[in-house]
Amino acid sequence: GLALSGPFWGSIMDALGIHRLVLRLALILTALFAIGVAQANTFTTVFVFVTALAFSLVPLRALLDAYAIALSERTRRSFGTIRSWGSVGYFVAVLGLGRLMGKDVSNLFLYAYAGFLVLTLVSMWKLPNLASRNPSHIIDGLKDVQANKPLILLLVVAFLLMVAYATIYLALGIHMRETLGGSTNQVGIAFAIGAAAELPAFMFAGR
């Protein structure tokens, strides 16, 4: 259900022109909810905070990519070159946290996640707003999407790809630890290798 909140966020931001405001709020709320998950000690509270975290997390990647695209147009650099720094940051983060946690999983990664979100908020605070768009009604936007058959096909393909990606992303660490007997450090190394594998695609995509 939360996967379907993406169009909701996009429609609200496009209709009201509040992309930067939503980005700031999403960063703050996601950091707070991550700390809430770290502090929770019952299933109910974990479920509530994880659900809230997932909802606030939905617009973040799309908005950051939108800013990266806008920056690439202004600086005449490829989007892939700018986006590759995200993979570099992820590589360093998972490798470092894996080493710090050692064999066992701890709440450290949640606090680190919240800290990185706060740093992101500080670093992008003075970014200009995205290019203004003519205000539009949410229903009209949904009708436009419904009438665009190629776009619907693209959205379906993207959804299926993300389902496959999420399955591997979420289950790989569990499989490595519980089935293969790996440590948290080794899981971090595996995810770091995955992030490094993205770099050639991002760096040479525009050539």
Side-chain angles (χ1 to χ4, degrees):
L2 289 175
L4 301 178
S5 65
F8 164 79
W9 280 112
S11 299
I12 292 294
M13 289 184 291
D14 288 341
L16 302 178
I18 53 174
H19 300 83
R20 184 171 57 181
L21 175 61
V22 170
L23 178 58
R24 291 174 177 175
L25 289 176
L27 287 168
I28 294 171
L29 291 176
T30 306
L32 292 176
F33 293 146
I35 295 174
V37 174
Q39 295 289 330
N41 52 18
T42 66
F43 175 81
T44 301
T45 53
V46 169
F47 178 81
V48 169
F49 277 117
V50 167
T51 302
L53 186 149
F55 185 76
S56 65
L57 185 63
V58 168
L60 277 183
R61 184 164 186 173
L63 280 171
L64 292 173
D65 282 348
Y67 269 101
I69 292 172
L71 183 61
S72 69
E73 293 174 351
R74 293 177 184 177
T75 61
R76 299 185 181 276
R77 295 185 177 182
S78 69
F79 166 76
T81 301
I82 297 174
R83 179 62 180 79
S84 64
W85 286 103
S87 296
V88 172
Y90 184 80
F91 176 90
V92 173
V94 296
L95 194 62
L97 285 173
R99 286 186 174 276
L100 288 174
M101 286 191 291
K103 293 183 178 181
D104 300 319
V105 178
S106 69
N107 289 341
L108 175 63
F109 78 96
L110 289 168
Y111 290 113
Y113 183 58
F116 286 132
L117 288 172
V118 172
L119 290 176
T120 303
L121 175 66
V122 173
S123 66
M124 57 71 56
W125 189 262
K126 292 187 178 181
L127 282 178
N129 209 348
L130 292 175
S132 59
R133 303 180 182 180
N134 294 327
S136 59
H137 296 288
I138 296 175
I139 301 300
D140 292 338
L142 295 176
K143 290 180 179 178
D144 291 340
V145 171
Q146 185 177 5
N148 192 335
K149 303 303 181 183
L151 178 58
I152 293 177
L153 177 60
L154 176 62
L155 293 175
V156 171
V157 172
F159 175 79
L160 295 176
L161 284 173
M162 288 305 298
V163 169
Y165 172 78
T167 302
I168 295 295
Y169 182 81
L170 295 175
L172 179 61
I174 298 174
H175 175 69
M176 288 184 64
R177 283 183 52 81
E178 297 187 359
T179 305
L180 302 180
S183 65
T184 304
N185 184 30
Q186 290 170 331
V187 173
I189 293 173
F191 280 104
I193 293 173
E198 296 178 345
L199 292 176
F202 282 132
M203 295 180 68
F204 299 104
R207 299 186 180 182

